[in-house]
Amino acid sequence: MPGLPLLLAALSLTLPARAEDAARRAEFADLSIEDLANIDVTSVSRRPERLQDAPASVFLITAEDIRHAGARTLVEALNLAPNLQVARSSNATWFISARGMNGTSNSPANKLLVMIDGRSVYSPLFSGMFWDEPDVMLEDVERIEVISGPGGTLWGVNAVNGVINITTRHARDTQGDLLVLRADVDGAQAAFRHGGAMDGAMGNGAWRAYGKVFALRHSELASGRAIDDDWTQGQVGWRGDWERGAERFSVNANAWRGREGQPAPGVIAAPGADVGLDDIQLRGANVTGHWEHVLDGGGSVTAQAYYDYRYRKVPPTFTDAVDILDLQLQHALPAFGRHSIVWGGEYRISRDHVANSRFVAFLPARDAQAWASLFAQDDVALRDDLSVTAGVRYERNPYTGTEFLPNLRLSWRATPMHAFWAAVSRTVRAPSRLDVDAYVPGAPPYLLAGGPAVRAETARVLELGYRGQVGQIVSYSVTAFRNLYDHLRTQDLTPAGQIVFGNLMEGHARGIEAWGNVQMTQAWRLAAGATLLHEAFALKPGSQDLGSLMTTGRDPAYTAQLRSSHVIDAKRELELAVRRNGALGFPDVPAYWAVDARFGWRFAPGMELSVIGTNLNGGHAEYGVASVRTEVPRTVGVKLTWQR
């Protein structure tokens, strides 16, 4: 592999260099192996629990992981999770999934739920993610919890193959000033943040305000021809947190606007639409309020509400404007006897307006929808070392009515350092407007006439996991899984000769996920991860949708990564990483290696200079048809961070 000898040589050169610097070692080990195991996560049970005790396949990305890696976007930070496939087809178009199902010829990746501070950010237009929309100031991220596997009982429909839960820092942890400037060979960005204290009738608290802007120049095909995908975007936001006795309050608001080129064949590849492609205009704003009352004995009552507005103009095919209002209530009872119960409900409404075109139409153009759900989960301690978790969610959606989402988990702590768990779950992906209301072309006679009888896609999932720790040196996690899918989306012919969306495909996936950390010395840590995946699908009688069959499940059979984080001395540190992705099939994408590196130098109090390189061994393709996909390039950048 080009670049691997250089990586190994760099590793060997940095090992002897002043690694005994005690002060810097202590700072580097912000989170030791034991500390990592003891971090509280909330995505598995909707209440804090130690990562070591969580009966699920959870990978944790910490703030230090993001800084060490030199990630410049949220998507780049997700590359740190070995249980995700992260693939780029153009500057602003990404396909991200866990355990396969990362898009097909008629269905984008739509089985992963993503949340930022409790706010769901998937698009109700197609139940998937526009990855150019969710953004955060990475320096404000506290942690990213990446669960591979179903999360429907606690988080609802669409949490089929995974949940990404992004949590930003409490405002009290971001006091003072921060300025970030970065320049790469393919773009630049700048960000600022200011935080302060606030006291008053509401109690003691803190706040912060931030702003950021970035620009990426166009990418290129493997041939060197330019792709129309240059991208600029800006975002501002504010967060306040305060406490008064047993009450805790938080308000988080953000607004953003962007413009990006639209590479061929366009967001929607409708016949003739590629002739009038023009820049995509996007903007949005959201505000989230969160209240928590801490109960005597360890329980809590929480309420959350958020409003989210998103606008996307995609010439010449459609313009979509959506308003979402979401209300949530949760009650975590104080533990009684051997039981720890959490229950709650959620109600969401949306108003969607699509400006249709002659190429594609969503009918009706204006649509108001509502979702309602109730859930409950009980964690029962059968013994001090054995517990069972049982939960269920009933969720009603506008298209298929009430869905049943059960979950059963068993956890056995064999020793304080070693735990085994097993789980069986049922989850669904509910239909979206794309499944039911999409018509091509935009006026009769229609070639594609929506999905009048579409059903929810279902998955039954079996998981077996083990998480262990060897002293203060080694920690690791291994999970085996099997997913049984039914009612997967197809495009089928009606007797009248029209195409409609149906659910006449089934299949299964099985695989293994594993990752771990090794503290080689006090100043040097290695982290590694890998996945193995096998998928198989078949059409049911009545469908001739060979296109969907040929493109479903063409995910990498394996992925692997190795990361080295090493402190050279009190001021210098070096991060090196190697990633390997297996080949994708139809459209074919060759397997590739990627070598990334970051050198950080704290040259003055509060000042850090970083040199960051990605794909140092050369460019590669990651997703899409060869004639239109980006050749992900080698990049080198410089980042300056000032903080006081």
Side-chain angles (χ1 to χ4, degrees):
M1 179 194 79
L4 184 55
L6 177 63
L7 171 69
L8 297 177
L11 278 171
S12 64
L13 286 173
T14 59
L15 289 179
R18 299 171 63 182
E20 288 72 33
D21 189 299
R24 183 68 186 101
R25 279 203 314 265
E27 187 175 345
F28 165 73
D30 300 296
L31 293 171
S32 66
I33 295 294
E34 184 177 18
D35 290 336
L36 285 170
N38 289 328
I39 288 180
D40 281 344
V41 295
T42 58
S43 302
V44 178
S45 61
R46 291 190 77 131
R47 63 195 309 167
E49 63 183 325
R50 292 197 321 149
L51 175 63
Q52 178 70 13
D53 298 333
S57 183
V58 186
F59 184 85
L60 188 67
I61 302 173
T62 68
E64 279 299 288
D65 293 332
I66 296 171
R67 188 183 69 82
H68 282 296
R72 60 178 171 176
T73 65
L74 177 60
V75 172
E76 288 187 7
L78 294 179
N79 256 322
L80 296 168
N83 53 342
L84 291 178
Q85 183 207 351
V86 180
R88 171 182 166 188
S89 66
S90 68
N91 269 346
T93 306
W94 298 78
F95 293 80
I96 302 177
S97 184
R99 299 183 177 177
M101 299 295 288
N102 201 11
T104 72
S105 62
N106 75 66
S107 177
N110 56 18
K111 294 174 177 60
L112 186 68
L113 182 66
V114 183
M115 296 177 291
I116 301 177
D117 290 328
R119 175 175 57 89
S120 176
V121 293
Y122 81 89
S123 169
L125 190 68
F126 71 105
S127 299
M129 287 292 300
F130 287 117
W131 283 103
D132 53 1
E133 290 183 359
D135 198 7
V136 292
M137 188 163 175
L138 289 180
E139 289 76 13
D140 289 346
V141 172
E142 178 183 283
R143 68 183 185 275
I144 303 175
E145 300 173 22
V146 181
I147 299 180
S148 42
T153 299
L154 294 180
W155 304 109
V157 296
N158 303 326
V160 177
N161 282 358
V163 176
I164 298 176
N165 190 4
I166 302 156
T167 302
T168 61
R169 295 177 175 179
H170 192 286
R172 67 168 174 260
D173 299 324
T174 55
Q175 298 295 280
D177 299 305
L178 175 71
L179 177 66
V180 179
L181 301 173
R182 178 165 176 165
D184 296 86
V185 295
D186 61 344
Q189 61 179 268
F192 76 89
R193 181 189 71 215
H194 176 73
M198 59 178 180
D199 299 316
M202 293 297 294
N204 298 322
W207 64 273
R208 68 167 175 262
Y210 77 92
K212 61 179 295 186
V213 62
F214 70 85
L216 288 177
R217 70 176 183 86
H218 66 78
S219 64
E220 298 177 347
L221 301 174
S223 64
R225 184 167 64 86
I227 298 175
D228 182 18
D229 64 351
D230 59 305
W231 182 18
T232 60
Q233 193 156 304
Q235 180 164 318
V236 295
W238 185 91
R239 172 167 175 161
D241 296 277
W242 59 97
E243 299 178 5
R244 185 181 60 187
E247 315 288 329
R248 299 171 183 172
F249 306 88
S250 178
V251 176
N252 193 338
N254 307 274
W256 48 272
R257 179 185 293 268
R259 181 207 59 79
E260 63 196 49
Q262 184 180 184
V267 173
I268 295 182
D274 57 337
V275 177
L277 295 179
D278 202 351
D279 289 350
I280 298 173
Q281 307 289 333
L282 56 160
R283 61 179 182 266
N286 56 76
V287 59
T288 303
H290 184 89
W291 166 78
E292 180 181 14
H293 176 78
V294 180
L295 302 173
D296 294 338
S300 66
V301 177
T302 61
Q304 177 177 281
Y306 68 79
Y307 167 76
D308 196 351
Y309 166 75
R310 307 174 201 170
Y311 172 91
R312 174 177 294 263
K313 182 178 181 180
V314 186
T317 49
F318 73 97
T319 299
D320 182 45
V322 60
D323 297 90
I324 300 170
L325 179 63
D326 185 278
L327 305 173
Q328 300 178 34
L329 178 67
Q330 176 180 305
H331 182 197
L333 279 68
F336 62 96
R338 294 183 175 271
H339 297 267
S340 296
I341 296 176
V342 59
W343 70 275
E346 182 175 5
Y347 184 74
R348 178 185 303 170
I349 57 175
S350 75
R351 296 187 182 277
D352 189 36
H353 177 207
V354 179
N356 295 316
S357 69
R358 62 188 178 93
F359 303 104
V360 62
F362 288 82
L363 302 176
R366 294 180 180 270
D367 196 17
Q369 299 181 336
W371 297 260
S373 62
L374 291 172
F375 74 90
Q377 183 163 286
D378 187 10
D379 186 359
V380 185
L382 302 177
R383 302 189 315 230
D384 290 343
D385 63 344
L386 184 67
S387 65
V388 62
T389 301
V392 65
R393 187 184 195 101
Y394 288 93
E395 180 160 336
R396 184 168 183 81
N397 69 79
Y399 295 115
T400 62
T402 302
E403 298 291 348
F404 175 60
L405 309 172
N407 171 64
L408 183 66
R409 294 179 182 269
L410 182 68
S411 178
W412 172 46
R413 178 162 292 285
T415 73
M417 297 291 189
H418 301 275
F420 298 84
W421 60 273
V424 59
S425 312
R426 179 187 184 272
T427 188
V428 308
R429 184 192 75 85
S432 65
R433 294 207 66 190
L434 181 63
D435 298 284
V436 179
D437 300 336
Y439 289 75
V440 177
Y446 298 117
L447 176 64
L448 171 67
V454 75
R455 302 178 57 174
E457 298 179 323
T458 66
R460 291 171 292 155
V461 183
L462 175 65
E463 302 171 277
L464 298 172
Y466 164 64
R467 188 177 288 115
Q469 184 179 332
V470 180
Q472 305 297 314
I473 299 175
V474 179
S475 66
Y476 47 90
S477 175
V478 181
T479 302
F481 62 89
R482 181 173 176 83
N483 294 5
L484 299 176
Y485 298 107
D486 202 0
H487 310 306
L488 297 178
R489 193 168 78 178
T490 53
Q491 292 180 340
D492 302 308
L493 281 174
T494 68
Q498 288 182 320
I499 299 173
V500 296
F501 287 121
N503 299 87
L504 294 178
M505 185 162 55
E506 60 186 357
H508 71 266
R510 63 177 185 270
I512 297 175
E513 306 164 329
W515 50 81
N517 295 275
V518 181
Q519 195 74 42
M520 304 296 291
T521 70
Q522 284 185 302
W524 182 29
R525 180 182 296 167
L526 293 179
T531 65
L532 298 174
L533 176 67
H534 172 78
E535 299 170 281
F537 298 88
L539 295 176
K540 294 182 175 182
S543 178
Q544 293 82 40
D545 188 6
L546 297 180
S548 293
L549 183 62
M550 293 174 65
T551 56
T552 301
R554 305 305 184 187
D555 305 290
Y558 65 91
T559 63
Q561 60 175 255
L562 173 65
R563 311 191 72 88
S564 167
S565 299
H566 181 234
V567 173
I568 302 172
D569 56 29
K571 296 183 178 180
R572 297 176 296 168
E573 60 192 14
L574 180 65
E575 178 90 2
L576 297 166
V578 180
R579 294 178 286 120
R580 173 70 173 178
N581 267 50
L584 279 67
F586 205 86
D588 293 332
V589 178
Y592 66 87
W593 291 94
V595 178
D596 307 324
R598 172 187 169 271
F599 173 76
W601 176 35
R602 300 184 180 185
F603 61 91
M607 302 283 284
E608 182 178 57
L609 183 68
S610 302
V611 180
I612 303 152
T614 61
N615 306 311
L616 295 176
N617 56 320
H620 59 265
E622 293 184 354
Y623 200 98
V625 180
S627 59
V628 297
R629 70 190 178 209
T630 287
E631 183 78 357
V632 181
R634 176 192 294 115
T635 65
V636 177
V638 178
K639 178 182 178 181
L640 176 66
T641 304
W642 171 76
Q643 188 169 10
R644 69 173 182 180

